[in-house]
Amino acid sequence: MADNIGNTIITQALPVLPLRDIVVFPHMIVPLFVGRPKSIRALEEAMEAEKNILLSAQKDAKVDDPTPEEIHQVGTLSSILQMLRLPDGTVKVLVEGQTRVRLSNFQETEEYFSAEYEELDFYCPRDPELEALMRSIVDRFERYSKLNKKVPQEILASLNTVDEPGKFADTVAAHMLLKVEDKQELLETVEVPQRLENVLQILESEIEILQIERKIRSRVKRQMERTQKEYYLNEQMRAIQKELGEKDEAKQEVQELEEKIKKAGMPEEVHEKAMKELRRLKMMAPMAAEATVVRNYIDWLISIPWKDRTDDKLDITEAERILEEDHYGLKKVKERILEYLAVHQLVGKLKGPILCFVGPPGVGKTSLAKSIARALGRNFVRLSLGGVRDEAEIRGHRRTYIGALPGRIIQSMKRAKTVNPVFLLDEVDKMSMDFRGDPSSALLEVLDPEQNNSFSDHYLEVDYDLSEIMFITTANTLDPIPAPLKDRMEIIRIAGYTEPEKLNIAKKFLVKKQLDTHGLTNSQLRFNDSGILSIIRGYTRESGVRSLEREIASVCRKVAREVVKVGRDKARQMRINSKIIPRYLGVAKFQHGVIEEKDRVGLTTGLAWTETGGELLQTEVTVLDGKGNLTLTGKLGDVMQESARAAVSYVRSKADELGIPRDFYQKIDIHIHVPEGAIPKDGPSAGITIATSLASALTGRPVRHDVAMTGEITLRGRILKIGGLKEKLLAANRGGVTDVIIPKENLMDLREVPKEILKGLTIHNFESMDDVLGLALRQAVEEPLLKALRKTETGEIGGDSDSVHAH
């Protein structure tokens, strides 16, 4: 039953069929495939009644069982023309839209939806404005159908027979390929003029998009045709060359270079540069000199890594195991590498650190860099800077020079094959400079994390990123390295090995390595601790272990000869101890400094640092009658000579306290000598040693033979901080010293000294020279100086001068 209320008609409820991905317009006949049980039941209910059903699109097509809120409120009242059940259980139904309606009062049962509706369509007569709109739509739709081949051409003819504007708009909308949202919006537009304008606007937009698509298709087609044509012609050329027995090697080479450039992964700027040079190469004669230069340049651009990188092993436990496996000790360096890995793991991406290992030769700086690369899982590359004196060695030569090449940094990157290797710059302190430039200045850019992401090589003429590299430099001393370069590096000092450390390294690494190298086994040769220590003390003088390894190798060679002589099967195990060592290595080459057996006047044991470690340094002072001359011998450097003069001035200022005449220096000559005169010596740390020897010689008080000392002295007798404390204490331990005097400022440095070195040593830390003299000098005996002065005053000394005190 229906009731008329104005222009709308409210009727009884009808079944509702929710639609997915389709909108049915009035006057539109559409086949539908229905598979959901509720939808099939709604169709059956409609067929049992007057074959009328309400069709409305779902808001989300993915929802399988929509609720009333998920169905659009505006739909179409349709009649079922035909229904057919298919074998798979689905239903094919042919429906015809009658009029647009607004659904209300949804009623949901277990079987299907039903809803009441109100009709929204009303008759709209044609007027001039609507007539104009309809003609414009016909014109645009004709263009649309030509561009979109999916629109049937007969639709144009049927449009001309539609007089009613509303039906006309729905017919056009139904045959346009639009999104469901756009079609639903047109369905919900009740006002006919507005609906016609919307259809016209959508047509204009669709025509523009289709025209652009057509242009793109046309362009792609032309490109494909050109590519096919080029391919066809190239194939013909190859066939002709094959028939003639010729091959255009130059052209093939250019093609190969082009392929390599594409695969290299270069940055855009570099890629453009490479392609520009390749185009130049194409235009040149293959045998031209310039062609060779260009070809070499392109080869270099291709061969260096631009994108290939290795993934860091971020397992700290595994990295620590590898570092411990390869090297004994070196705690600081290992900690720094593990810290880097930890931060890398937390941050994700990190600029490569720039480390500088400083230490004497043979302590494992270079091998440690290799071990770091292995622990990180990176490639390793080494560049030796020893003797490099030309800036072009680092930055390369410009291509204008004959035989120009990139610098050694870029050459090394080619060998590394990845953008993030561990890069060792060996012997950075051995570089020099001349008229060709300063290579250390060129390294400033390489080793600056803020600049090296755009390193410029003169040969390449493009920026190259070095920021992912872990740079490690090595040096024996820091003094020759320029301050700006030093400032860019994180300095890690690697001190010389102690005797216990050398013993452990020999047992864990060196002996095993040399046994394998010489084809020997543990059953044929075994080194005892005493034998290794005998080699360390008597046949090597070094901070590292290179000479130790050579001497072990020498023993292995001699034992190998004996094994071959008697036969491998008959050879008995040879145990190498301290008694047998001279038999293989001869007389001991070195005698490390040892303390004096008894106290002496004017003789003090000092402690010195050398590149090969610490040494005991005896300082002698002899007082002669004379006229106040000061003689310094022992090949002393300027700083050490100044320290000696400062010590003399200090003793003069303390004459009253020491019990010597104030004018003593006017009647005597002082001779200060540091033995082993062929060896150059320098530095301020012998100041308190010289002052102690001088005070002893002038007062006649012997210096304790079991005391060694080191420290810089001032004119007021203050003791200043010195360096190389670990090595100096090692020398004291080895030489049998029991008491060591060090500056108070060095007290904190004792934390870095291994406990085995401090064992057996009593450390005294003083600020004043008075304390040093109080500890180092024994009780006074007859003062030779005063005695000499008294004799001078009484005229007992003749013309020939004799030493007042000699050793």
Side-chain angles (χ1 to χ4, degrees):
M1 298 293 293
D3 298 317
N4 262 330
I5 303 177
N7 289 330
T8 60
I9 301 174
I10 298 176
T11 69
Q12 62 185 7
L14 287 179
V16 177
L17 176 61
L19 302 178
R20 290 198 277 201
D21 295 325
I22 188 170
V23 174
V24 176
F25 283 91
H27 320 294
M28 177 181 176
I29 299 175
V30 184
L32 301 174
F33 289 89
V34 182
R36 290 183 285 189
K38 276 190 175 183
S39 298
I40 294 173
R41 186 71 191 91
L43 285 171
E44 291 172 347
E45 184 67 22
M47 288 296 289
E48 290 174 5
E50 298 177 359
K51 297 187 179 181
N52 287 333
I53 193 167
L54 297 173
L55 305 179
S56 184
Q58 289 179 201
K59 293 178 181 177
D60 186 357
K62 295 177 183 176
V63 178
D64 198 51
D65 189 11
T67 62
E69 290 75 20
E70 293 173 322
I71 301 172
H72 285 289
Q73 298 297 305
V74 177
T76 308
L77 173 63
S78 305
S79 60
I80 301 172
L81 302 179
Q82 186 180 4
M83 191 172 99
L84 179 64
R85 292 185 181 276
L86 300 177
D88 61 355
T90 60
V91 173
K92 180 180 180 182
V93 60
L94 191 66
V95 297
E96 180 181 9
Q98 300 294 332
T99 182
R100 56 174 43 77
V101 293
R102 178 173 283 110
L103 280 60
S104 61
N105 297 331
F106 275 88
Q107 298 171 15
E108 183 179 4
T109 65
E110 292 182 2
E111 296 183 338
Y112 62 91
F113 282 119
S114 64
E116 295 180 356
Y117 65 92
E118 59 175 306
E119 295 182 9
L120 300 177
D121 278 337
F122 58 89
Y123 179 76
C124 180
R126 296 175 70 154
D127 59 26
E129 185 179 349
L130 294 180
E131 184 71 31
L133 274 173
M134 291 169 67
R135 287 183 181 182
S136 297
I137 290 173
V138 170
D139 179 55
R140 300 297 189 280
F141 191 76
E142 187 175 357
R143 288 170 59 190
Y144 176 78
S145 62
K146 287 178 180 177
L147 291 169
N148 192 337
K149 301 299 182 184
K150 295 179 182 178
V151 178
Q153 291 298 316
E154 57 268 18
I155 298 298
L156 281 169
S158 65
L159 280 177
N160 293 323
T161 63
V162 179
D163 293 330
E164 203 272 312
K167 183 178 179 181
F168 177 86
D170 290 341
T171 305
V172 174
H175 290 91
M176 289 169 60
L177 301 177
L178 303 176
K179 296 178 183 175
V180 173
E181 292 81 7
D182 294 337
K183 285 193 172 185
Q184 181 66 32
E185 187 179 347
L186 286 173
L187 184 67
E188 292 178 2
T189 307
V190 178
E191 297 295 330
V192 175
Q194 183 62 47
R195 198 187 315 161
L196 286 169
E197 286 181 10
N198 289 356
V199 169
L200 182 60
Q201 188 178 352
I202 292 172
L203 273 173
E204 293 280 9
S205 175
E206 288 295 313
I207 288 169
E208 187 176 351
I209 293 169
L210 288 170
Q211 285 175 338
I212 292 170
E213 287 181 356
R214 194 175 197 178
K215 285 180 184 176
I216 292 171
R217 282 199 302 271
S218 176
R219 189 162 63 244
V220 170
K221 185 179 179 182
R222 285 198 303 273
Q223 181 65 33
M224 288 178 63
E225 287 174 352
R226 184 164 63 249
T227 305
Q228 289 172 347
K229 181 180 177 183
E230 288 175 0
Y231 176 78
Y232 177 69
L233 292 174
N234 284 330
E235 288 298 315
Q236 279 189 327
M237 287 288 290
R238 287 194 186 96
I240 293 168
Q241 287 169 358
K242 190 174 180 181
E243 288 298 320
L244 294 173
E246 297 175 357
K247 192 174 182 183
D248 191 348
E249 294 181 359
K251 188 173 181 181
Q252 185 180 3
E253 184 184 14
V254 168
Q255 289 174 348
E256 289 175 359
L257 287 174
E258 189 170 1
E259 287 297 318
K260 288 178 181 177
I261 290 171
K262 290 176 182 176
K263 293 176 182 177
M266 302 173 182
E268 187 177 346
E269 180 190 347
V270 182
H271 185 270
E272 288 176 5
K273 178 81 172 172
M275 294 305 295
K276 181 181 176 183
E277 294 295 324
L278 188 66
R279 287 192 292 271
R280 284 183 62 205
L281 182 63
K282 285 180 181 178
M283 293 185 286
M284 293 178 186
M287 301 307 292
E290 182 67 15
T292 305
V293 174
V294 174
R295 193 179 298 111
N296 287 342
Y297 175 75
I298 295 172
D299 280 338
W300 272 106
L301 284 180
I302 292 168
S303 59
I304 56 179
W306 294 100
K307 63 176 181 178
D308 295 333
R309 56 175 49 80
T310 51
D311 294 329
D312 284 348
K313 294 179 183 174
L314 299 178
D315 187 344
I316 293 180
T317 307
E318 176 64 12
E320 188 173 10
R321 185 193 66 76
I322 292 172
L323 292 171
E324 291 293 343
E325 181 183 293
D326 291 352
H327 289 84
Y328 180 84
L330 305 177
K331 184 180 176 183
K332 266 192 177 181
V333 189
K334 293 174 181 176
E335 282 182 354
R336 180 63 183 86
I337 300 307
L338 296 177
E339 287 165 6
Y340 167 77
L341 281 177
V343 176
H344 193 351
Q345 195 168 346
L346 293 174
V347 175
K349 188 175 182 183
L350 194 63
K351 286 182 180 178
I354 297 167
L355 309 178
C356 179
F357 298 159
V358 181
V363 294
K365 298 185 294 294
T366 304
S367 61
L368 181 59
K370 289 182 183 176
S371 179
I372 290 169
R374 191 162 80 91
L376 293 174
R378 294 189 179 192
N379 293 347
F380 175 77
V381 62
R382 174 180 170 271
L383 171 58
S384 178
L385 296 174
V388 172
R389 59 179 64 201
D390 186 358
E391 181 241 1
E393 291 275 347
I394 306 298
R395 285 194 179 278
H397 295 85
R398 300 194 184 279
R399 282 192 287 156
T400 49
Y401 296 104
I402 295 173
L405 284 172
R408 293 174 70 178
I409 298 290
I410 296 298
Q411 291 181 35
S412 300
M413 291 306 297
K414 178 183 176 181
R415 296 201 313 274
K417 296 180 181 176
T418 57
V419 296
N420 63 337
V422 172
F423 199 128
L424 177 66
L425 296 169
D426 217 357
E427 311 293 355
V428 74
D429 58 330
K430 306 296 190 299
M431 286 187 297
S432 55
M433 59 180 290
D434 61 9
F435 64 92
R436 288 170 291 189
D438 183 5
S440 63
S441 298
L443 275 181
L444 294 177
E445 182 184 3
V446 175
L447 297 180
D448 190 338
E450 301 301 323
Q451 298 181 40
N452 63 9
N453 60 348
S454 56
F455 171 68
S456 176
D457 185 275
H458 289 159
Y459 181 84
L460 293 184
E461 296 176 339
V462 292
D463 290 342
Y464 189 78
D465 187 359
L466 302 175
S467 63
E468 294 187 53
I469 299 171
M470 175 182 273
F471 281 105
I472 297 176
T473 63
T474 68
N476 296 129
T477 57
L478 283 175
D479 295 336
I481 303 175
L485 185 58
K486 202 185 304 179
D487 183 58
R488 283 162 167 78
M489 302 185 290
E490 183 179 339
I491 309 296
I492 298 178
R493 295 184 180 274
I494 302 177
Y497 293 118
T498 61
E499 275 186 10
E501 286 174 337
K502 288 183 181 179
L503 178 62
N504 272 299
I505 292 168
K507 287 163 67 177
K508 289 184 177 181
F509 303 104
L510 304 183
V511 171
K512 185 177 183 302
K513 178 182 174 184
Q514 292 305 322
L515 288 178
D516 293 341
T517 302
H518 293 87
L520 298 170
T521 63
N522 285 324
S523 61
Q524 295 166 334
L525 176 62
R526 183 179 290 278
F527 282 84
N528 293 342
D529 288 1
S530 65
I532 297 173
L533 283 172
S534 179
I535 297 174
I536 293 170
R537 290 169 180 166
Y539 298 88
T540 65
R541 177 173 284 182
E542 58 176 351
S543 294
V545 290
R546 282 202 187 117
S547 295
L548 176 59
E549 186 174 9
R550 281 194 289 268
E551 297 302 330
I552 291 172
S554 180
V555 173
C556 289
R557 286 195 301 273
K558 290 176 170 56
V559 172
R561 181 181 171 189
E562 292 177 2
V563 168
V564 171
K565 242 181 187 180
V566 301
R568 186 183 290 270
D569 298 332
K570 297 178 182 178
R572 292 182 301 171
Q573 186 185 58
M574 179 63 68
R575 291 181 175 272
I576 304 298
N577 54 38
S578 58
K579 294 178 181 177
I580 295 178
I581 285 295
R583 172 181 156 191
Y584 289 106
L585 298 180
V587 179
K589 301 174 186 175
F590 302 106
Q591 245 184 338
H592 281 286
V594 292
I595 59 173
E596 292 287 321
E597 294 180 0
K598 60 181 181 178
D599 303 341
R600 294 182 181 274
V601 175
L603 177 63
T604 307
T605 302
L607 296 172
W609 177 91
T610 69
E611 288 190 6
T612 58
E615 287 293 335
L616 295 183
L617 195 67
Q618 307 291 346
T619 303
E620 301 174 336
V621 174
T622 298
V623 180
L624 310 166
D625 62 338
K627 298 180 180 179
N629 294 325
L630 175 63
T631 305
L632 303 171
T633 57
K635 206 167 185 182
L636 309 184
D638 292 342
V639 177
M640 199 166 183
Q641 290 185 34
E642 290 171 1
S643 291
R645 292 189 175 90
V648 171
S649 297
Y650 165 76
V651 172
R652 284 179 60 185
S653 70
K654 295 288 182 178
D656 290 342
E657 295 176 27
L658 292 172
I660 55 178
R662 289 187 177 183
D663 60 348
F664 71 88
Y665 61 90
Q666 295 178 353
K667 300 174 183 178
I668 61 168
D669 289 344
I670 299 173
H671 188 163
I672 300 173
H673 177 67
V674 184
E676 298 190 41
I679 300 172
K681 309 166 191 74
D682 206 357
S685 64
I688 66 171
T689 312
I690 297 171
T692 303
S693 292
L694 190 58
S696 171
L698 292 172
T699 61
R701 297 171 63 183
V703 182
R704 284 177 55 184
H705 71 284
D706 57 351
V707 172
M709 61 187 72
T710 178
E712 180 180 351
I713 190 173
T714 69
L715 293 177
R716 291 176 176 79
R718 283 188 62 235
I719 303 174
L720 303 183
K721 188 175 181 179
I722 48 85
L725 185 63
K726 177 184 172 183
E727 290 84 354
K728 291 177 180 179
L729 292 178
L730 171 59
N733 183 300
R734 187 175 56 219
V737 173
T738 59
D739 292 72
V740 179
I741 298 172
I742 65 171
K744 193 166 187 177
E745 293 178 15
N746 283 100
L747 193 58
M748 300 297 290
D749 297 335
L750 291 176
R751 293 179 179 179
E752 298 181 5
V753 180
K755 291 180 181 178
E756 59 265 22
I757 295 179
L758 297 175
K759 193 176 181 181
L761 291 178
T762 303
I763 307 296
H764 304 274
N765 53 292
F766 293 146
E767 285 183 298
S768 171
M769 189 65 209
D770 297 342
D771 298 327
V772 175
L773 296 178
L775 177 71
L777 298 182
R778 294 287 190 189
Q779 192 62 34
V781 295
E782 175 65 22
E783 294 90 348
L785 173 62
L786 296 179
K787 187 177 180 181
L789 290 175
R790 284 199 297 270
K791 285 183 179 179
T792 303
E793 290 169 358
T794 57
E796 295 179 21
I797 293 182
D800 295 326
S801 65
D802 294 318
S803 170
V804 176
H805 178 72
H807 304 297

